[in-house]
Amino acid sequence: MKSTTTKGSNAYAAACPTRVVLDRIADKWAVLILGLLQEEPIRFNRLRKQIEGISQKMLSQTLKKLERDGLVGRKAIPTVPVTVEYSITPLGRTLSAMLDGLRVWAETHIEKVLIAQKRYDSGSRGSR
Amino acid sequence: MKSTTTKGSNAYAAACPTRVVLDRIADKWAVLILGLLQEEPIRFNRLRKQIEGISQKMLSQTLKKLERDGLVGRKAIPTVPVTVEYSITPLGRTLSAMLDGLRVWAETHIEKVLIAQKRYDSGSRGSR
DNA sequence: CAGAATCCAGCTCGATACTG
DNA sequence: CAGTATCGAGCTGGATTCTG
């Protein structure tokens, strides 16, 4: 934890809002989940199948965090085997809108990144 | 690795561009570094002091990744104790511009998030 | 169906020491 | 100054099992 005493020369203090939000969105599962819920409410197991590679544990954990942050809503429908529907909240939607920008950036610039990587890797011979 | 066989019903395959970019920006240090370099080129130890809580190791690692992705440039100036200046590339700048949106979102909505958290925490009594 | 609990392999990351 | 190398604690996250 530390003190977070105003050291003065820190551009990014540990407690700034950016850090808090970053701790949330610096979680690829959270970003992917928000992206899906943006379109429509989805049930737990459905989400699980939609997101390749996520485990039940991570999905559960991530949803809980997102719910805690007020970014997604949880609605338990008392059917026989209980059904739970997750949806994005208005707040979550504003964030997801920002993230859309990121998704667009990804698709637009991914190629340049991959090229840069290739060049970097071939340049530093001998490493590894 | 796994197969990544086109399963068909996966909205987010493991290999899509979003995932790749996410693996990069889902790294709070990377985001913070880009934010700083956006303003001006900075030397290694200077960066270290500017970003509260980052270790020398993480800084070094993260810079290397960012350089590999073509998002930041590295220029070694052959002074006596060598000086290395990191700067953001045009490509990095376009990404950082997106991230600015995120930073703005953070400052704008952080309060709502914190309120939601407080409500959530007080609601789930007994947990723990 | 939706999740909680447990176990544990593996990666992350900080601390420390050393180099060019 | 700008790193690299190594070690170890701790967290992450997958697999599995169990419950309402």
Side-chain angles (χ1 to χ4, degrees):
Chain A
M1 282 302 133
K2 272 311 175 46
S3 52
T4 311
T5 44
T6 20
K7 293 231 194 109
S9 64
N10 281 325
Y12 285 113
C16 69
T18 302
R19 286 279 190 109
V20 177
V21 173
L22 231 40
D23 277 338
R24 201 74 9 184
I25 71 96
D27 176 343
K28 72 175 177 184
W29 299 130
V31 175
L32 296 174
I33 290 172
L34 281 178
L36 280 177
L37 292 183
Q38 198 176 16
E39 298 165 26
E40 57 178 345
I42 317 185
R43 284 175 304 105
F44 189 86
N45 278 335
R46 177 90 180 130
L47 270 173
R48 189 131 98 99
K49 282 165 198 151
Q50 290 274 293
I51 303 173
E52 182 173 89
I54 196 169
S55 66
Q56 172 277 321
K57 184 184 181 179
M58 290 314 297
L59 178 55
S60 174
Q61 277 181 14
T62 308
L63 283 172
K64 213 178 292 179
K65 282 186 194 172
L66 289 172
E67 190 194 350
R68 189 173 106 101
D69 290 348
L71 300 171
V72 315
R74 202 192 94 120
K75 183 166 103 184
I77 303 159
T79 50
V80 180
V82 70
T83 299
V84 179
E85 204 168 73
Y86 289 91
S87 57
I88 196 166
T89 64
L91 181 61
R93 201 171 284 282
T94 65
L95 175 56
S96 199
M98 295 296 354
L99 297 177
D100 273 338
L102 227 47
R103 295 189 190 96
V104 171
W105 189 94
E107 285 163 28
T108 310
H109 300 283
I110 185 66
E111 206 156 331
K112 289 172 190 162
V113 171
L114 293 178
I115 291 173
Q117 286 180 357
K118 210 158 275 184
R119 186 143 48 104
Y120 182 95
D121 290 343
S122 63
S124 62
R125 79 199 73 270
S127 65
R128 284 220 124 262
Chain B
M1 282 300 143
K2 273 310 176 48
S3 54
T4 311
T5 45
T6 20
K7 292 227 195 116
S9 64
N10 281 325
Y12 285 113
C16 69
T18 302
R19 286 279 190 108
V20 178
V21 173
L22 231 40
D23 277 339
R24 201 75 6 184
I25 71 96
D27 177 341
K28 71 175 179 185
W29 298 131
V31 175
L32 296 173
I33 290 172
L34 282 177
L36 280 177
L37 293 182
Q38 198 175 16
E39 296 164 27
E40 57 178 344
I42 317 184
R43 284 176 304 104
F44 188 85
N45 279 334
R46 178 88 180 133
L47 269 173
R48 191 132 98 99
K49 282 166 198 151
Q50 290 273 294
I51 302 174
E52 182 173 86
I54 196 170
S55 67
Q56 170 279 323
K57 184 184 181 180
M58 289 314 297
L59 178 55
S60 174
Q61 276 182 14
T62 308
L63 283 171
K64 212 177 295 180
K65 281 185 195 174
L66 290 173
E67 191 195 349
R68 188 173 106 104
D69 289 350
L71 300 171
V72 316
R74 202 191 95 120
K75 182 165 106 185
I77 302 159
T79 50
V80 180
V82 70
T83 300
V84 179
E85 204 168 72
Y86 289 92
S87 57
I88 196 166
T89 63
L91 181 61
R93 201 171 284 281
T94 65
L95 176 56
S96 199
M98 295 296 355
L99 298 176
D100 273 338
L102 229 46
R103 295 189 190 96
V104 171
W105 189 94
E107 284 163 30
T108 310
H109 300 283
I110 184 68
E111 206 155 331
K112 290 172 190 163
V113 170
L114 294 178
I115 291 173
Q117 285 180 357
K118 211 159 273 183
R119 186 142 48 103
Y120 183 95
D121 290 344
S122 62
S124 62
R125 76 196 74 271
S127 67
R128 276 212 137 263

